[in-house]
Amino acid sequence: MTALGLAAGPVVALGFTRFAYALLLPSMRTELDWSYAAAGGLNTANALGYIIGAGSGAWWSRRFGAGRSFVGGMVISALALLGSGLTGDFTALSVLRFVGGLSTAVTFVVGSALVSRVHTGGRQQRSAALVGVYMAGVGIGVVLSGVVVPAALSAWGTSGWQAGWLLMGVLALLAVGPAAWAVRAVPAAPPATASRGGSRLRRMVPSFVWYVLFGAGYVSYMTFVVALLRDQGLSTWSAAAFFIVLGAASALATLLVWGRIIGRLRGGLAPALVSAVVLVGVLPVLLADGLAAAIVSAIVFGAAFMAGPTAITVLARRMLPQHTWTSGIAWLTVAFSVGQAVGPLSSGILSDSDGGIAKGLWLSVVLLALSAVVALLQRERTASAPAPATTAATARPAPADLR
C-alpha cells in the first residue's frame, strides 16, 4: 500500500505534467499557431526544468526532508498545471512548463528513492516489484489524462485545451492526499557514511549514456505521436483511445510483468530489452495508418516505455550503497532529462521539414536502437547489502523526513 500511495507522484509528475501535453498539442498548435519546432520547444522547456530538478533532488531531500520534498513538488506541479490553463502566451507557458518540469523531477527522484527504502526483507525481486508499483502510476496518469483531455476538447472545441490543463490541475491536487499518507510509512534513510559512491557511479557510465539515448528516443514519440495520428485522420476520441490503451498497457505491464523480469536480469540486459521492445512499439504507426496500427503501437510501446526508469532504478539500487540512492538516481535522471530535452526539439525540427511528423519520429527508432546497443556494455557489480530496517524504530520516517 505504501508503494501504491507513492505512485500518486508519477501520476502527476509524468502522467499529467509531461505526457498529457501530447493530447493537448494538436489543439494548442492550431489555436496558438505554432510550428512543430515551437511545440517541441515547449516540451524542451519542461525537460530543462526537469534537468535542474533532477540534479538538485538530493539537495531538496536533505534540506527539507524527503517527505516534504516529495509532497511539495506535487503541489507546485499541480499549480503549474492550473496556471497552464489560464494563459495562451508562449513565454508564460514555457515558464510554467519549466517550473512544472523542475518540481515533478524532484517528486519523481525523491519518490524513487523513497520506494527503494520500503522494506523488502532483502529480496531483490520484491524490491523490483515495489518499484514497478511506483512506476505504474505513470500509466494510471496517462489513462486519466486520456479520459479528461478529450472530454474537455469535445466540450469546448479547440479552446478545450485550457479546460484540460485546469482539470488535470484539480486532479493533481487531489492526488496529494494519498502521497502525503504514504511518505509517513517509509522507513528512515540510513545515516551517510564514507563510501566509494563516486567510483560506483563511474562504473555506471554505459547506463548514463543509455538513459540519454532512451530518453530522447521515447519522448520524441510521446510528444508527437498523437499529432501524427490526427494527421493520419484519426478523430479526437480515436486518438484518446490510443492514449488510454497506452496508459493501461503501461500500468499493467509495469505492475505485473516488468518487475519480475527486471528482478532476474543482470547488468544492462534489462535496459537493452526495454529499448528493443519500445523500438518495436514505435514502428506500427510509421509503417501503417489507421486505428488498428495505432492500437498495436499503444500496446507494445505502452507496455515497455516506463520499464526504462524501473530498470535503471533497480540497477542503481543494486550497484550503489543505500545512502547514495537518492543522489545516484538523481544523476541518472539528469541524464534521462538531457535526452528528453534534446529529443522533442530535434524531432520537431525534422517534422517541420519535408517528410513531416513521420520523419521526426524515425529519429526515435534510431535513438532507441543505439540505446539498446549501449546498454549491453553495462556490467553489474553488486553493492554491499544495505542495513535492514526491520525494527519498530525504523518503521517510521525520521523527523527530518517530514520537516
Side-chain angles (χ1 to χ4, degrees):
M1 289 300 293
T2 300
L4 189 60
L6 293 173
V11 168
V12 175
L14 297 179
F16 293 167
T17 305
R18 173 161 292 277
F19 297 139
Y21 176 61
L23 285 170
L24 295 161
L25 186 150
S27 60
M28 292 180 73
R29 182 172 173 269
T30 298
E31 183 163 298
L32 302 176
D33 194 27
W34 291 346
S35 66
Y36 284 116
L42 203 65
N43 234 17
T44 294
N46 182 260
L48 290 174
Y50 208 90
I51 292 172
I52 296 173
S56 61
W59 181 87
W60 289 105
S61 183
R62 289 192 301 269
R63 177 66 179 83
F64 297 102
R68 285 193 172 182
S69 298
F70 179 73
V71 174
M74 288 183 65
V75 172
I76 294 173
S77 298
L79 296 177
L81 288 168
L82 291 170
S84 298
L86 300 176
T87 180
D89 180 75
F90 184 83
T91 300
L93 284 168
S94 296
V95 171
L96 287 166
R97 291 291 285 165
F98 175 86
V99 171
L102 192 156
S103 59
T104 55
V106 173
T107 293
F108 189 70
V109 167
V110 176
S112 296
L114 285 170
V115 78
S116 294
R117 279 161 40 189
V118 175
H119 180 54
T120 63
R123 291 175 292 171
Q124 292 282 9
Q125 290 184 26
R126 170 68 173 165
S127 171
L130 290 177
V131 173
V133 171
Y134 175 74
M135 298 296 177
V138 178
I140 295 170
V142 170
V143 170
L144 290 173
S145 61
V147 174
V148 168
V149 172
L153 294 174
S154 296
W156 286 281
T158 55
S159 62
W161 63 266
Q162 293 179 295
W165 284 121
L166 291 171
L167 287 171
M168 287 188 293
V170 171
L171 290 175
L173 287 176
L174 293 176
V176 171
W181 167 82
V183 297
R184 295 180 177 275
V186 178
T193 58
S195 72
R196 298 169 57 198
S199 63
R200 291 189 183 277
L201 277 177
R202 286 193 290 274
R203 294 174 185 170
M204 297 185 70
V205 166
S207 292
F208 279 91
V209 177
W210 169 77
Y211 222 12
V212 172
L213 294 170
F214 180 77
Y218 101 93
V219 83
S220 297
Y221 172 94
M222 283 297 291
T223 301
F224 292 110
V225 65
V226 173
L228 174 67
L229 297 179
R230 295 302 304 275
D231 276 7
Q232 291 176 350
L234 267 67
S235 67
T236 297
W237 280 106
S238 293
F242 159 86
F243 216 66
I244 291 170
V245 170
L246 187 151
S250 173
L252 291 173
T254 305
L255 186 61
L256 302 177
V257 179
W258 282 106
R260 297 180 181 181
I261 294 175
I262 291 168
R264 291 184 173 94
L265 298 178
R266 292 294 180 264
L269 289 176
L273 178 61
V274 171
S275 288
V277 176
V278 172
L279 186 158
V280 172
V282 174
L283 293 176
V285 294
L286 295 175
L287 299 177
D289 295 354
L291 184 59
I295 295 300
V296 171
S297 181
I299 292 171
V300 179
F301 182 96
F305 80 103
M306 279 314 296
T310 303
I312 207 69
T313 300
V314 171
L315 188 59
R317 192 182 191 279
R318 289 173 179 167
M319 293 186 65
L320 301 176
Q322 184 174 352
H323 66 271
T324 67
W325 284 349
T326 300
S327 59
I329 291 170
W331 284 114
L332 284 161
T333 306
V334 168
F336 193 37
S337 306
V338 169
Q340 291 182 90
V342 173
L345 185 58
S346 301
S347 184
I349 292 171
L350 286 174
S351 297
D352 283 326
S353 64
D354 294 338
I357 307 174
K359 182 178 180 181
L361 288 186
W362 276 107
L363 177 64
S364 291
V365 175
V366 174
L367 292 170
L368 290 166
L370 289 173
S371 72
V373 174
V374 170
L376 294 175
L377 301 176
Q378 179 66 63
R379 298 291 181 265
E380 182 174 328
R381 299 183 184 181
T382 306
S384 56
T390 58
T391 66
T394 58
R396 303 173 186 270
D401 270 356
L402 301 177
R403 282 202 300 267

